[in-house]
Amino acid sequence: ISLTALVDLFPSVQRNQNSIASQWFSFFTIKIGLAAEVGYGYASASFHQIALKDTDLIERKTLGRRDRLLTAMAGMVLVGMLSLTAMLRPNPHGLGTHQRLGFPPCSFLLMFHRPCPTCGMTTAWAHLGNGEAAAAVRASLTGSLLWILAVLAAVWLLGTALRGRWFVVAPNRNAAAWISTSILVVMLVEWAVRLSIG
């Protein structure tokens, strides 16, 4: 099976071997066993010729200057968010801390007199930023988990930008999907519990 015609449709992938798009393209073609990367181009290969183990090109690729800049910017945005919420004084009611940033009150709460699924998240971030883990979990378990993920993501992004290659682990769509789904489930369960006891 050959992907020569398909590759010809994406000359940018061939020209820029260090871009994130190129890395994902290489990852996709290698993992499903349709093509093998050779030098700066692609060559067709039969299924039995491709080793499916230890062929993760994403981890071996060096990121280009533009990609390193983008990962650094993303990491700094997260650091800025974490630093900002750490300077906030948490609302003693467990929600509404976002109003200290100039945002309006929760519309869902005003209309239905019940917290929305995201109520308390900013308060949880503010508590965690001040080292108050128990208060953060009481304010929002989901928000607390997102704070932890934000810290890990910031370290990962900045480490990647400094290293020029993926730091510790490479992007994994399956892992991202599982984490996102788990956070969503936790948020919905937490919201249901709040509604039932509210």
Side-chain angles (χ1 to χ4, degrees):
I1 300 176
S2 174
L3 290 183
T4 304
L6 179 60
V7 173
D8 289 340
L9 295 177
F10 297 94
S12 62
V13 174
Q14 292 175 303
R15 288 196 302 267
N16 187 1
Q17 296 296 313
N18 291 331
S19 69
I20 293 177
S22 174
Q23 294 166 13
W24 277 112
F25 187 86
S26 300
F27 174 77
F28 174 76
T29 54
I30 289 289
K31 288 300 183 182
I32 62 175
L34 292 180
E37 184 181 19
V38 178
Y40 288 96
Y42 289 84
S44 59
S46 59
F47 289 118
H48 71 277
Q49 292 176 313
I50 300 174
L52 297 181
K53 294 183 179 180
D54 302 323
T55 55
D56 196 343
L57 297 178
I58 296 177
E59 294 183 359
R60 296 202 296 268
K61 287 289 186 179
T62 300
L63 299 183
R65 182 177 301 177
R66 178 175 176 273
D67 294 330
R68 293 179 69 177
L69 177 61
L70 290 176
T71 55
M73 290 174 60
M76 291 305 299
V77 167
L78 287 177
V79 170
M81 292 173 59
L82 292 164
S83 301
L84 179 62
T85 53
M87 293 186 291
L88 287 176
R89 183 165 55 87
N91 191 310
H93 297 292
L95 49 85
T97 304
H98 68 282
Q99 292 178 247
R100 303 186 193 278
L101 296 172
F103 293 103
C106 176
S107 300
F108 189 95
L109 183 62
L110 292 177
M111 291 177 61
F112 302 104
H113 304 287
R114 292 289 187 276
C116 77
T118 62
C119 275
M121 289 191 181
T122 308
T123 304
W125 279 47
H127 279 301
L128 284 171
N130 289 278
E132 302 165 349
V137 172
R138 286 195 298 269
S140 173
L141 175 59
T142 308
S144 301
L145 294 176
L146 288 174
W147 185 90
I148 295 173
L149 286 176
V151 171
L152 294 176
V155 172
W156 178 65
L157 288 167
L158 294 177
T160 296
L162 291 173
R163 186 170 179 253
R165 297 165 66 181
W166 295 115
F167 182 61
V168 182
V169 294
N172 187 296
R173 291 184 178 179
N174 290 334
W178 275 107
I179 292 173
S180 301
T181 302
S182 299
I183 292 292
L184 179 61
V185 170
V186 171
M187 182 179 69
L188 293 177
V189 170
E190 183 179 34
W191 186 43
V193 171
R194 286 184 175 182
L195 292 178
S196 64
I197 65 178

